[in-house]
Amino acid sequence: MARLALLSVSNKTGLIDLARSLVEEFNFDLISSGGTAKAIKDAGIPVTKVSDYTGSPEILGGRVKTLHPRIHGGILARKDFPQDLTDLENNQIRPIDLVVVNLYPFEETIAKPGVSLPEAIEQIDIGGPAMLRAASKNFAHLTVLCDPAQYDEYLQELRQNNGEASLEFRQKSALKGFLHTASYDQAIASYLIAAQNDASALPQQYSLAGKQVQSLRYGENPHQSAAWYETGSTSTGWAAASKLQGKELSYNNLVDLEAARRIITEFTDTPAAAILKHTNPCGVALGDTIKEAYEKAFNADAVSAFGGIVALNRPIDEATASELTKTFLECVVAPGCEGDAQAILAAKSKVRVLILPDLNSGPKETVKAIAGGFLVQASDDIIADTSQWKVATERQPSDSELAELLFAWKVCKHVKSNAIVVSRDRATLGVGAGQMNRVGSAKIALEQAGDLAKGAFLASDGFFPFDDTVRAAADAGITGIVQPGGSLRDQDSIKAANELGLVMVLTGVRHFLH
């Protein structure tokens, strides 16, 4: 007697070739529903509609098609249980040997602009996940396929094993089925959470689901295994970036690239360049052209720029490409690259050049693992608003000085705390990152700036508990300071700034980055 295969797919890639091989090469009977049955029939391949097989018509506008004992009995029957076989015989149910199911495109639907909640709800598959879960549970007795990429491997299994899929393959396929339904349910839950009125509140339950993009050679160090995962069924962010050239991306590359993406999105109106090492910016600058911005960022700390990650907020042109090839860089990311520029960059074939058209598309939350769980927080995506800043000193900043303070503040937001940034002419001069005390970070930034600190500006990601950083800045020639304020000793710092003739602006917002 011919074996029975159930095919019900939303993604019809590879469907006809699979169906034809099942029938002509391996003597399967096919049952199918809806559009899948029509596609198979139109290809001239014999198929029985599910409604004809069950004797029950599709109802509720197609909401109920495969939810029937003849379907789920055939999927869940254990072929080595006499009672199960008796139940099949008594109810005229054929055991199903293969289940091929993938689900309604929920994530693709909600990604479209203007989709309403009722429209999204109709793309929540019910019968598909039920069949996938049932078939995955019973992998000891049948095979389940939920991805067209599995079809050829399954057919090879049949060819190499006298028409049978190995238990190892069936178990591996069952795992993929459960992962598929788990990811699908997570996408629905995330959508409904976002649809709640209080979108800012984090949910009581938070699940992570991802599909492996690639296995990485190692993690932060060679003894650590690592892999890259993307969330959702549609590639976004770095998974959607195109790599024009260069070696495979490493774990550290991706971590640095994300830090670079975050900082460059602070600047949209003017060409901007950022060079990072170990997630901290060593040079950030604005310019009239993207070439000028890159040159200023590079010259801010040419020593640290060697082997760095470069982020540009404008497409790479020929002039900028020529500058990029003058030193060793790990990665370059930009929203585009001109043809002549690409030819120039090809001379440095090992440099990874990525095109990410939507640099602003980032996660809404950040997740960090801790022992026994993980932490979730909303992304620090608050937009600086100088109209809300408070000038705390007698000396008032000019419009130009306020713009410089804003530039330094935006950069400081993306430096590991304790963070100090010194800038002038919309370019960083010194960056102090991750020190155990704020004076230590200030010392590093001011020493790096050197004589250029005279007339420059300083930003601090946190308030000053003492006036020592203010006095160190004044000694170096700093003109103005921007900091959050909020210390019990704010007046000490403000008094020192007044005494030394500095501008001091309080933002009311801090930007710790751990």
Side-chain angles (χ1 to χ4, degrees):
M1 184 177 181
R3 288 176 293 175
L4 188 60
L6 169 62
L7 287 69
S8 180
V9 294
S10 175
N11 179 0
K12 295 178 175 56
T13 302
L15 170 68
I16 301 306
D17 289 341
L18 173 66
R20 183 169 284 112
S21 293
L22 291 174
V23 171
E24 297 178 1
E25 191 175 351
F26 298 105
N27 192 35
F28 272 86
D29 288 339
L30 307 184
I31 56 175
S32 190
S33 62
T36 307
K38 183 179 186 304
I40 295 172
K41 182 179 180 181
D42 289 348
I45 302 169
V47 61
T48 300
K49 293 181 66 174
V50 165
S51 56
D52 293 335
Y53 176 73
T54 62
S56 298
E58 295 182 8
I59 61 172
L60 307 182
R63 281 189 165 198
V64 177
K65 296 190 285 275
T66 57
L67 298 171
H68 192 280
R70 291 202 78 192
I71 298 298
H72 286 273
I75 294 174
L76 287 165
R78 293 158 291 188
K79 297 176 183 177
D80 55 355
F81 270 48
Q83 185 58 53
D84 284 9
L85 298 178
T86 298
D87 286 342
L88 294 182
E89 183 178 355
N90 290 342
N91 291 278
Q92 297 182 316
I93 298 173
R94 291 177 60 181
I96 295 175
D97 198 73
L98 172 66
V99 174
V100 183
V101 174
N102 54 61
L103 308 178
Y104 291 170
F106 180 80
E107 288 177 283
E108 289 87 339
T109 297
I110 61 175
K112 296 174 184 176
V115 172
S116 67
L117 179 61
E119 289 172 327
I121 294 299
E122 285 309 309
Q123 288 301 317
I124 297 177
D125 203 328
I126 301 301
M131 289 188 290
L132 270 182
R133 287 177 57 81
S136 297
K137 174 179 179 175
N138 205 31
F139 70 84
H141 301 281
L142 54 78
T143 304
V144 57
L145 306 177
C146 61
D147 184 343
Q150 297 174 289
Y151 297 171
D152 286 342
E153 188 178 0
Y154 172 71
L155 293 173
Q156 284 300 110
E157 280 280 315
L158 298 187
R159 292 174 186 129
Q160 294 170 5
N161 297 294
N162 297 317
E164 299 290 340
S166 66
L167 178 61
E168 180 184 9
F169 177 82
R170 298 198 306 270
Q171 184 169 346
K172 182 175 70 173
S173 298
L175 171 59
K176 192 173 181 71
F178 282 122
L179 289 171
H180 188 41
T181 56
S183 176
Y184 192 77
D185 285 342
Q186 176 56 35
I188 296 168
S190 296
Y191 172 77
L192 293 176
I193 288 169
Q196 291 178 348
N197 292 330
D198 188 6
S200 63
L202 291 171
Q204 291 299 307
Q205 289 185 299
Y206 193 101
S207 300
L208 293 173
K211 179 176 65 177
Q212 190 176 117
V213 176
Q214 68 182 75
S215 176
L216 303 173
R217 287 179 60 199
Y218 52 80
E220 288 179 295
N221 299 289
H223 61 272
Q224 295 172 268
S225 60
W228 173 14
Y229 295 84
E230 65 174 318
T231 55
S233 61
T234 302
S235 294
T236 59
W238 293 109
S242 57
K243 184 158 73 75
L244 298 185
Q245 65 173 60
K247 299 182 292 184
E248 289 296 321
L249 291 167
S250 71
Y251 178 95
N252 289 336
N253 288 157
L254 287 160
V255 171
D256 284 333
L257 281 166
E258 176 59 14
R261 184 201 64 78
R262 289 197 300 265
I263 193 168
I264 206 66
T265 58
E266 294 284 349
F267 308 103
T268 56
D269 297 335
T270 305
I275 306 174
L276 283 82
K277 290 287 284 291
H278 309 301
T279 72
N280 279 307
C282 50
V284 182
L286 307 184
D288 292 332
T289 66
I290 195 64
K291 173 179 177 288
E292 181 188 9
Y294 171 71
E295 288 178 319
K296 289 170 67 177
F298 180 83
N299 291 328
D301 187 353
V303 173
S304 296
F306 183 84
I309 304 285
V310 175
L312 308 171
N313 71 346
R314 297 289 189 275
I316 306 169
D317 57 21
E318 187 175 352
T320 308
S322 295
E323 292 300 318
L324 290 167
T325 59
K326 290 180 179 179
T327 191
F328 168 65
L329 299 170
E330 283 282 348
C331 304
V332 178
V333 61
C337 185
E338 297 176 3
D340 291 342
Q342 190 171 342
I344 293 169
L345 291 168
K348 294 277 189 175
S349 60
K350 293 183 179 180
V351 179
R352 304 161 178 89
V353 178
L354 292 99
I355 302 304
L356 186 61
D358 186 7
L359 289 165
N360 292 291
S361 179
K364 296 180 180 179
E365 297 97 20
T366 59
V367 181
K368 287 190 177 183
I370 60 172
F374 54 89
L375 306 174
V376 181
Q377 66 172 348
S379 294
D380 186 8
D381 54 8
I382 188 170
I383 298 173
D385 182 0
T386 57
S387 69
Q388 301 300 310
W389 290 5
K390 175 185 176 183
V391 179
T393 50
E394 296 168 0
R395 183 180 163 193
Q396 300 291 303
S398 66
D399 289 345
S400 176
E401 289 175 328
L402 191 61
E404 189 68 48
L405 289 167
L406 176 60
F407 170 81
W409 180 245
K410 285 183 174 182
V411 175
C412 195
K413 172 182 175 182
H414 299 276
V415 178
K416 291 296 177 78
S417 189
N418 289 313
I420 297 289
V421 170
V422 175
S423 78
R424 188 171 65 188
D425 298 329
R426 313 302 190 273
T428 57
L429 301 175
V431 178
Q435 298 305 299
M436 283 62 73
N437 64 77
R438 200 159 297 280
V439 178
S441 288
K443 182 178 179 181
I444 291 171
L446 292 167
E447 286 183 353
Q448 187 180 0
D451 290 341
L452 295 175
K454 293 181 175 64
F457 297 80
L458 181 147
S460 171
D461 68 338
F463 59 60
F464 300 135
F466 306 101
D467 65 2
D468 45 10
T469 302
V470 177
R471 296 189 180 278
D475 288 344
I478 291 295
T479 295
I481 294 175
V482 59
Q483 55 118 335
S487 169
L488 293 175
R489 300 190 181 204
D490 271 350
Q491 281 307 122
D492 291 351
S493 296
I494 295 168
K495 179 181 177 182
N498 281 326
E499 174 190 327
L500 298 165
L502 302 182
V503 168
M504 181 177 285
V505 175
L506 307 181
T507 67
V509 176
R510 83 174 192 197
H511 288 299
F512 282 179
L513 179 61
H514 288 287

